[in-house]
Amino acid sequence: LFRSHCSAVLQCLVPGEGERYIMADPWQECMDHAIAVARNAGTEICKALKNERTVMLKSSPADLVTETDQKVEKMIISSIKEKFPSHSFIGEESVAAGEGCVLSDNPTWIIDPIDGTTNFVHRFPFVAVSIGFTVNKKIEFGVVYSCVEDKMYTGRKGKGAFCNGEKLQVSGQKDITQSLIVTELGSDRSPEVIKVVLSNMERLLCIPVHGVRAVGTAAVNMCLVATGGADAYFEMGIHCWDMAAAAVIVSEAGGVVTDVTGGEFDLMSRRIITASSSAIAKSIAKVLQIIPLERDDGKKED
């Protein structure tokens, strides 16, 4: 017989032995809520796709935001805050509006309400709700809902990765010359950055690799690595809300997640490689030219 003691502990009554306390899963309730909220947000996004959209610019002429981005983020944060009022939040549109981007040890929800806003604006059918959750600055779980496709990707530290309930497994490819790579051109339109982005693609194509693809959403790109449909994804210039959820999905599908230098992944660094194997990740890191970036947390790179 069990009776609830708190969200993380169950009080167990054992006949003849009195009471025992056992640890339950402290974050499953959070993950279940994240899935429900992501699905509701996806419904709102799919409705909005049928209507006219008001488009605004952020950091560049290619860095877009819509009223739907802002509305959906408010909806997600409001729902989570109501249930978990002591938790912290980092949201793409909240940061754009001037809120800080601080990753603390407190349970923290890292939210991109529409990953693939440019796709959304053009009705290109790859847009996703991305919700990552960290504790002690480590990613506990991630939820990515590719709402037009109705694909719910989930990953929980130590418990595997799934899409619509089906277990995910990376391709396991180790030979870079046999690989399909996913990346993006990014939203920075400065000539010096574009030159490096195109040069990096050229370097990979000349290895050679089988091909390079771009879907238009970092979270879905990474989830494609988790499914085995692509063998690697890399990008520089994205943000923690683009990476948090999908990074754990890739790692739980058996993939590797590293920095673009080949070193340890840093969620606030704005750069990432996810791959089907460490061999592929190292092969990519070896040829990449690094783009200097300001970190999400404002700290200086070593």
Side-chain angles (χ1 to χ4, degrees):
L1 174 64
F2 292 91
R3 92 179 165 228
S4 176
H5 183 57
C6 73
S7 62
V9 182
L10 290 177
Q11 192 174 1
C12 178
L13 304 176
V14 182
E17 298 183 36
E19 297 183 348
R20 286 188 200 159
Y21 294 94
I22 58 172
M23 288 304 295
D25 184 339
W27 308 123
Q28 188 59 48
E29 185 182 9
C30 296
M31 187 169 179
D32 291 343
H33 191 64
I35 292 168
V37 168
R39 195 173 293 283
N40 290 340
T43 301
E44 286 299 314
I45 293 165
C46 288
K47 282 182 194 170
L49 275 167
K50 298 170 186 173
N51 303 320
E52 288 296 315
R53 288 163 297 288
T54 303
V55 182
M56 297 157 278
L57 303 182
K58 291 200 284 189
S59 65
S60 82
D63 187 9
L64 310 181
V65 63
T66 71
E67 289 173 344
T68 306
D69 292 80
Q70 296 164 339
K71 176 185 173 184
V72 168
E73 181 167 302
K74 284 176 185 170
M75 183 183 90
I76 292 170
I77 292 177
S78 170
S79 175
I80 297 169
K81 265 187 178 173
E82 189 177 341
K83 201 166 180 66
F84 307 105
S86 66
H87 290 187
S88 301
F89 296 86
I90 298 172
E92 177 177 10
E93 305 315 327
S94 304
V95 172
E99 289 190 24
C101 188
V102 179
L103 186 63
S104 69
D105 289 337
N106 199 46
T108 302
W109 300 75
I110 304 177
I111 298 157
D112 191 343
I114 302 181
D115 190 33
T117 298
T118 302
N119 287 356
F120 172 75
V121 166
H122 290 274
R123 295 191 176 95
F124 191 71
F126 298 97
V127 293
V129 181
S130 177
I131 303 175
F133 182 78
T134 66
V135 180
N136 297 320
K137 300 187 182 75
K138 301 293 183 186
I139 307 169
E140 269 302 321
F141 68 74
V143 172
V144 174
Y145 183 42
S146 183
C147 50
V148 178
E149 300 180 280
D150 191 24
K151 289 184 176 178
M152 182 70 75
Y153 296 97
T154 61
R156 176 77 195 277
K157 189 169 72 177
K159 298 197 173 183
F162 300 85
C163 178
N164 293 348
E166 295 288 323
K167 190 166 176 56
L168 297 178
Q169 182 67 42
V170 296
S171 69
Q173 180 60 252
K174 294 179 174 61
D175 184 349
I176 189 74
T177 68
Q178 302 295 306
S179 65
L180 182 66
I181 311 295
V182 193
T183 189
E184 294 292 336
L185 295 169
S187 60
D188 192 326
R189 291 295 178 264
S190 57
E192 59 272 20
V193 170
I194 291 172
K195 188 175 180 182
V196 175
V197 169
L198 294 176
S199 170
N200 282 336
M201 292 176 74
E202 181 182 12
R203 292 172 187 212
L204 286 165
L205 288 167
C206 290
I207 287 176
V209 297
H210 275 176
V212 175
R213 301 287 184 267
V215 174
T217 145
V220 172
N221 285 337
M222 285 188 257
C223 288
L224 288 169
V225 175
T227 69
D231 301 300
Y233 161 79
F234 74 92
E235 194 168 355
M236 290 171 267
I238 53 175
H239 295 274
C240 58
W241 47 80
D242 298 304
M243 303 187 287
V248 70
I249 292 170
V250 173
S251 59
E252 285 301 316
V256 299
V257 181
T258 74
D259 183 61
V260 291
T261 61
E264 186 178 352
F265 170 61
D266 178 345
L267 181 56
M268 307 305 278
S269 69
R270 301 185 56 206
R271 55 197 209 186
I272 193 169
I273 296 173
T274 63
S276 58
S277 65
S278 57
I280 295 276
K282 286 174 185 173
S283 296
I284 293 171
K286 190 175 174 182
V287 303
L288 290 182
Q289 183 181 346
I290 306 302
I291 298 170
L293 298 163
E294 184 179 336
R295 292 171 55 88
D296 275 331
D297 55 14
K299 293 178 183 175
K300 298 293 183 187
E301 293 287 357
D302 296 331

